[in-house]
Amino acid sequence: MNLIRCSNKTVALLCVVALLATAGTASAFSVSADGVPTESGVGEEVSVTYTIDDPFTDAPNEWTLAGSTELQNVSWTVTVLRAGNQVNQETYGDQSFEQDLEIDNNGDQVRVELVGTTPAISNYTYDPAQNYQVASLSRISGNNEEEFRSDTAHHYTEESQAARQAIDDAQAAIDAAGGNENAEELVSSAISSYENGNFQNAQDLAGQAESKAQQAQQSAQTQRTLLLVGGGLVVLLLLVGGGYYAYTQMSEDEYSKL
């Protein structure tokens, strides 16, 4: 009898634990991404996949999925799945799209595949670097629109990337030298040229800045070496002088004894 009661209590306890564990891992609206670039060259193809899990958990039973991008030559493929099986699939060819979702006839996952080419650059900026919008995804319900995912990336041309790298190298050389006013002025001019789209001039100025910073660093190292050598010679002369003085004193003492 006691064993039966104990067994029943054990089963009940295990059920409670299982329920708590289930509650602790309850599903929730979430979005993940694969393939989002940190940077891409103008005209380069970009392919990104967004996965929305449990689209109706902590969300309205009916809402509109909206997407937008600054990529060019765009293709969106929106696939709705239930338990891994495809329920619906739509394709859009514009930079933005909207698709209605409803809990009764849609699944438990929405996959958004975006393919496009990196857009041209209208405004060059060094810091922060010029960016473009890879994608923005929003949930529209009635008059409310909530953006739940937004990704940007740096875009560049071959010339702008080379100029930026030259400026970065020059700044690194200045930092290694502990700062140099002339080099820093040249870097500032290089940045201005970069932002005006004059990339060759930016590279030339940055190269001059890097050379000045390196020369300043070498000069400082030479001065430190000379100071160390000079200090060593002073110490050596003091030691020799002290030894000579001690020797003469000892010689005089020996002579006086005689």
Side-chain angles (χ1 to χ4, degrees):
M1 187 70 172
N2 291 335
L3 288 174
I4 293 173
R5 288 177 181 174
C6 181
S7 178
N8 290 338
K9 289 179 179 179
T10 301
V11 171
L13 179 60
L14 290 173
C15 290
V16 171
V17 170
L19 287 171
L20 289 173
T22 303
T25 58
S27 59
F29 182 100
S30 65
V31 59
S32 59
D34 181 47
V36 178
T38 56
E39 62 178 15
S40 59
V42 172
E44 180 182 340
E45 185 176 271
V46 173
S47 179
V48 184
T49 299
Y50 294 97
T51 303
I52 304 168
D53 288 310
D54 303 300
F56 303 104
T57 303
D58 301 326
N61 290 341
E62 297 180 11
W63 57 278
T64 300
L65 171 64
S68 63
T69 182
E70 289 182 350
L71 290 170
Q72 304 293 312
N73 306 314
V74 176
S75 172
W76 303 86
T77 301
V78 182
T79 306
V80 180
L81 303 103
R82 181 183 295 115
N85 297 315
Q86 181 177 314
V87 175
N88 182 50
Q89 186 176 82
E90 300 289 343
T91 302
Y92 306 93
D94 296 326
Q95 286 184 303
S96 62
F97 79 92
E98 291 187 359
Q99 180 167 321
D100 294 332
L101 300 174
E102 186 178 347
I103 193 170
D104 290 337
N105 53 20
N106 286 124
D108 53 16
Q109 188 180 81
V110 180
R111 187 178 300 149
V112 181
E113 297 172 87
L114 168 64
V115 178
T117 55
T118 304
I121 302 164
S122 59
N123 183 38
Y124 287 92
T125 57
Y126 178 73
D127 187 20
Q130 67 274 354
N131 287 329
Y132 71 95
Q133 184 184 68
V134 177
S136 170
L137 297 177
S138 300
R139 180 171 57 196
I140 302 173
S141 180
N143 295 323
N144 298 320
E145 181 172 354
E146 177 188 357
E147 183 182 66
F148 58 84
R149 181 81 190 201
S150 179
D151 290 303
T152 60
H154 169 58
H155 55 161
Y156 57 87
T157 63
E158 185 177 344
E159 294 80 9
S160 72
Q161 189 78 333
R164 173 177 288 277
Q165 187 60 56
I167 295 170
D168 290 345
D169 292 344
Q171 190 59 60
I174 292 170
D175 293 341
N180 181 276
E181 186 175 351
N182 290 335
E184 288 169 356
E185 289 176 355
L186 285 167
V187 165
S188 295
S189 297
I191 291 173
S192 295
S193 291
Y194 174 88
E195 294 184 338
N196 288 325
N198 192 346
F199 303 122
Q200 187 57 57
N201 191 50
Q203 275 189 269
D204 294 342
L205 291 168
Q208 294 174 35
E210 185 176 6
S211 295
K212 282 189 177 295
Q214 290 173 341
Q215 290 168 7
Q217 186 179 23
Q218 290 171 357
S219 177
Q221 289 173 343
T222 301
Q223 289 178 358
R224 286 195 293 269
T225 301
L226 290 174
L227 286 172
L228 288 172
V229 171
L233 287 174
V234 169
V235 172
L236 180 60
L237 289 172
L238 288 173
L239 290 172
V240 171
Y244 178 74
Y245 176 77
Y247 172 76
T248 55
Q249 288 296 107
M250 290 175 63
S251 297
E252 288 178 4
D253 289 343
E254 291 294 328
Y255 180 78
S256 62
K257 288 178 182 180
L258 293 174

